[in-house]
Amino acid sequence: MHWIDRVARALLKRGKKHVIASGISISGHIHVGHSNDVFIADGIRRAVEESGGKATALWYADDYDPMRRIPWPLNQGEHAERYRKYLGMPYIDIPSPDPEYENFVEYFSKSFVDSLRDFGVKVKVYSGAKIYRSGKMSRLVKTALENAGEIRKILNRYRSTPLPDDWLPYDAICEKCGKIATTKAFAWDGSVVKYRCEGCDYAPGCGHEGESDYTNGEGKLTWRVEWPARWKLLGVTCEPFGKDHAVAGGSYDTGRSIAKRIFNYDAPYPVPYEWVSFRGDRMSSSRGVVFTLPQWLEIAEPELLRYFIFRSKSMKAKDFDPGLPLLDLYDEFDMIEQVYFDRRDVAEPKRKKQYKRIYELSLVGPPPIRPVQRLPFRFAAVLCQVTQDEQHAIEIMTSKGILAKPSGRDIRLALIRLRRARNWVSKYAPERLRFRVLKEVPVEAVRRLTEKQKEGLARLADDLSSRDYTPVELHNRIYEIGKSIELKPSELFKAVYLALLGRESGPRVGNFVSVLDREFVIGRFRDAVNL
């Protein structure tokens, strides 16, 4: 059973109706590493509904949080000095660097939210700022203030330095400087909280002493109290969250105690997950180590990101690299799709069942009724460099057996993948996979060919003139020719590249030669042999 289904089963034992929460602080560009919780929430929603329950997934924008660091790219050049004054202010109150967007929050979150539908993610979106300013949190803020002493005891169990006796679980927005991170609440009466703007380790205070009306959203609960209050407000029954919150004494532990003892609410079923790294480096909005959903859609299908998340357990480390490893991701997805339609055998029935479930969770919609013919991405990455004409590309795909009697859907999906391959080649492909076939024989390069290499090219030219090969068949045939003349296959590959590209390396030979005009290739090989 897939781990998503185990979570759904556990939830349904608790009841038939569920709210699965996710969310993120809008601290900069929202990247694929942030996608973990919202994609997992959506996957759980699906599984609950498939098992007969009712479920809603939500995504909560923590846009009332303070800006602790200036995010990339605003920490560069003239922007850096301009945005320094906004440190400590709520994200929602910070202006956008682009007048096309209403504010800082919309600038950094809109493309993410707008892209969720493309990935088949069905969630209800909430804004923390709107919830506070609407007064919906007022009753819970009051409850927290009334029980500040009890909350302090809960938190102090996990602190090396106890909170002071006058501590209150409330962060006021300074009415003078607009900062929320710099204030300290010290007293309250009715709906008013008194505070001093004292400063914090990353933003100076202005020294103002004032009052904040929490019923008007002039402040917010501190994080460790706000989280359980939010569970109560929205009726959350399950929530995926980063592993840092799951450590002993972390936000979830304290939140569970506060939810039960202060808000009389059972904590949601926890689903902790591991971080997603980018080429071995932790993704970071502030440092600009990001890869966004729109960037993903430029080079890969939305199903691949879902597959990337659901192919392994939530706590397994995941690393994304848009370079060569993306090709493996494409291959894996195409493989499990073939398994789903019983077009590829898997020895272990249990593994086969697992693959089929991963495939279902990876899809943006219901599974297709008929098997899908896919254009292999490795082949697409070569084909897109040979022709810009899509009709010509279709002719190559069909003539080489890549697509057999394709349906309109097969062709549409193939062309979409071809366009993404073109983007991938231009932005992320290593140099050795980028090429330009030379119009004339590269004389200097060809003169480096050995007699054995020339013999191999001559045999290959004869074979190509006698029959058609699929890319895989051609790749294997080159191996066979090399062995038959006691030449290492790698040396024959080099000969092919030297004759066509004037260099010793290039894309996978079978794909590369297959996309070229056969008569051109035969002529080039023979010219190289006879030079």
Side-chain angles (χ1 to χ4, degrees):
M1 180 181 289
H2 194 277
W3 61 269
I4 284 284
D5 296 311
R6 289 196 187 96
V7 173
R9 176 178 288 186
L11 291 178
L12 289 169
K13 287 181 179 179
R14 297 182 174 192
K16 291 294 184 182
K17 190 174 182 180
H18 292 279
V19 175
I20 304 101
S22 62
I24 190 68
S25 186
I26 314 300
S27 58
H29 283 296
I30 304 176
H31 49 70
V32 296
H34 294 137
S35 302
N36 245 343
D37 66 345
V38 69
F39 277 60
I40 291 172
D42 179 69
I44 295 170
R45 174 196 62 78
R46 281 193 190 183
V48 169
E49 291 178 345
E50 289 168 359
S51 297
K54 293 184 178 181
T56 300
L58 62 88
W59 184 76
Y60 194 100
D62 284 306
D63 50 11
Y64 230 24
D65 286 354
M67 183 171 75
R68 295 175 173 84
R69 288 179 295 275
I70 304 172
W72 178 87
L74 304 185
N75 56 6
Q76 308 291 313
E78 61 182 25
H79 282 310
E81 189 57 37
R82 177 190 172 195
Y83 277 85
R84 194 179 309 280
K85 64 184 178 183
Y86 298 117
L87 286 168
M89 288 183 63
Y91 293 123
I92 196 70
D93 293 334
I94 300 173
S96 165
D98 184 338
E100 293 294 317
Y101 298 90
E102 183 178 350
N103 50 39
F104 179 101
V105 171
E106 185 178 274
Y107 175 78
F108 281 113
S109 66
K110 190 175 189 304
S111 63
F112 174 83
V113 174
D114 289 349
S115 296
L116 290 177
R117 180 178 295 181
D118 294 324
F119 288 85
V121 175
K122 182 181 177 182
V123 291
K124 187 173 182 179
V125 177
Y126 287 90
S127 158
K130 287 182 179 178
I131 283 180
Y132 275 104
R133 289 172 176 174
S134 69
K136 292 179 180 178
M137 283 287 276
S138 297
R139 180 176 58 83
L140 293 165
V141 173
K142 182 180 180 182
T143 299
L145 291 171
E146 289 172 339
N147 293 275
E150 185 65 22
I151 293 173
R152 189 167 60 248
K153 290 179 183 178
I154 293 172
L155 296 179
N156 280 343
R157 291 176 188 167
Y158 304 98
R159 294 177 58 90
S160 56
T161 304
L163 293 166
D165 291 341
D166 64 348
W167 175 86
L168 293 174
Y170 184 81
D171 294 326
I173 299 174
C174 179
E175 58 191 337
K176 183 177 180 181
C177 68
K179 295 176 182 177
I180 191 172
T182 55
T183 60
K184 178 186 176 182
F186 61 87
W188 73 285
D189 182 31
S191 65
V192 174
V193 178
K194 295 182 179 181
Y195 67 87
R196 284 186 294 269
C197 189
E198 299 179 348
C200 64
D201 58 356
Y202 57 87
C206 67
H208 178 70
E209 187 169 313
E211 296 181 344
S212 168
D213 187 339
Y214 61 78
T215 62
N216 293 329
E218 294 175 3
K220 65 186 287 292
L221 291 171
T222 57
W223 162 245
R224 287 195 180 230
V225 183
E226 179 186 70
W227 200 17
R230 187 193 304 173
W231 296 338
K232 171 83 170 184
L233 178 72
L234 302 176
V236 178
T237 59
C238 176
E239 183 159 1
F241 48 80
K243 65 177 184 178
D244 55 330
H245 296 303
V247 299
S251 302
Y252 182 77
D253 272 1
T254 57
R256 179 169 50 192
S257 296
I258 292 170
K260 188 67 175 178
R261 294 170 59 178
I262 307 303
F263 300 122
N264 192 30
Y265 190 79
D266 291 328
Y269 187 93
V271 185
Y273 58 79
E274 178 59 88
W275 305 117
V276 176
S277 56
F278 182 72
R279 290 174 168 164
D281 192 6
R282 181 174 173 179
M283 290 197 187
S284 168
S285 298
S286 60
R287 293 188 293 119
V289 184
V290 299
F291 198 86
T292 65
L293 295 189
Q295 283 178 296
W296 184 283
L297 291 174
E298 288 179 352
I299 61 170
E301 287 130 25
E303 290 86 354
L304 260 71
L305 180 53
R306 295 185 68 99
Y307 170 71
F308 176 74
I309 291 171
F310 294 124
R311 67 177 174 175
S312 58
K313 293 181 179 180
S314 62
M315 281 300 291
K316 184 173 181 178
K318 298 173 177 66
D319 182 68
F320 175 66
D321 185 338
L324 282 177
L326 181 67
L327 306 187
D328 295 331
L329 198 64
Y330 265 105
D331 290 345
E332 289 177 21
F333 177 77
D334 290 354
M335 181 273 291
I336 67 164
E337 187 168 62
Q338 291 175 342
V339 171
Y340 183 83
F341 288 106
D342 296 320
R343 292 193 161 192
R344 183 162 179 162
D345 291 331
V346 178
E348 301 174 35
K350 184 177 179 181
R351 184 176 293 275
K352 183 176 183 179
K353 185 177 180 181
Q354 187 80 340
Y355 281 161
K356 289 193 172 190
R357 183 54 175 153
I358 292 172
Y359 177 71
E360 291 172 344
L361 290 168
S362 300
L363 297 177
V364 300
I369 298 173
R370 298 181 184 85
V372 180
Q373 287 193 80
R374 295 284 185 182
L375 168 65
F377 194 78
R378 294 177 192 272
F379 188 86
V382 177
L383 179 58
C384 70
Q385 297 183 71
V386 172
T387 179
Q388 299 289 321
D389 186 324
E390 292 189 343
Q391 186 57 46
H392 183 212
I394 294 170
E395 292 171 2
I396 292 174
M397 286 185 269
T398 53
S399 67
K400 299 300 179 181
I402 301 298
L403 299 181
K405 297 181 180 179
S407 66
R409 180 190 63 172
D410 293 333
I411 291 175
R412 179 177 59 83
L413 292 176
L415 292 178
I416 291 173
R417 186 170 280 195
L418 188 65
R419 292 166 199 150
R420 286 185 164 125
R422 187 172 290 116
N423 291 336
W424 179 79
V425 168
S426 67
K427 295 183 177 183
Y428 304 105
E431 196 59 38
R432 67 181 178 83
L433 295 189
R434 297 174 182 172
F435 65 87
R436 181 174 60 85
V437 177
L438 301 177
K439 294 181 180 180
E440 304 293 336
V441 177
V443 177
E444 291 302 318
V446 166
R447 283 177 177 163
R448 290 153 51 191
L449 294 173
T450 66
E451 290 304 314
K452 283 285 187 181
Q453 286 176 314
K454 288 183 178 181
E455 182 182 353
L457 287 180
R459 289 201 183 189
L460 184 54
D462 290 342
D463 281 0
L464 289 171
S465 65
S466 64
R467 58 159 290 190
D468 287 326
Y469 288 91
T470 67
V472 174
E473 289 172 341
L474 182 56
H475 190 87
N476 293 337
R477 181 56 185 152
I478 294 174
Y479 263 95
E480 293 170 359
I481 291 174
K483 290 180 179 179
S484 70
I485 62 174
E486 297 182 346
L487 177 68
K488 290 182 179 179
S490 60
E491 291 301 309
L492 187 48
F493 290 157
K494 286 181 183 179
V496 170
Y497 297 133
L498 285 169
L500 295 169
L501 303 177
R503 68 190 204 203
E504 293 187 346
S505 65
R508 186 171 291 184
V509 166
N511 290 336
F512 174 46
V513 176
S514 292
V515 301
L516 302 177
D517 179 77
R518 184 169 65 167
E519 294 304 318
F520 167 79
V521 173
I522 293 169
R524 174 59 60 84
F525 287 168
R526 287 175 174 165
D527 287 344
V529 169
N530 296 323
L531 188 67

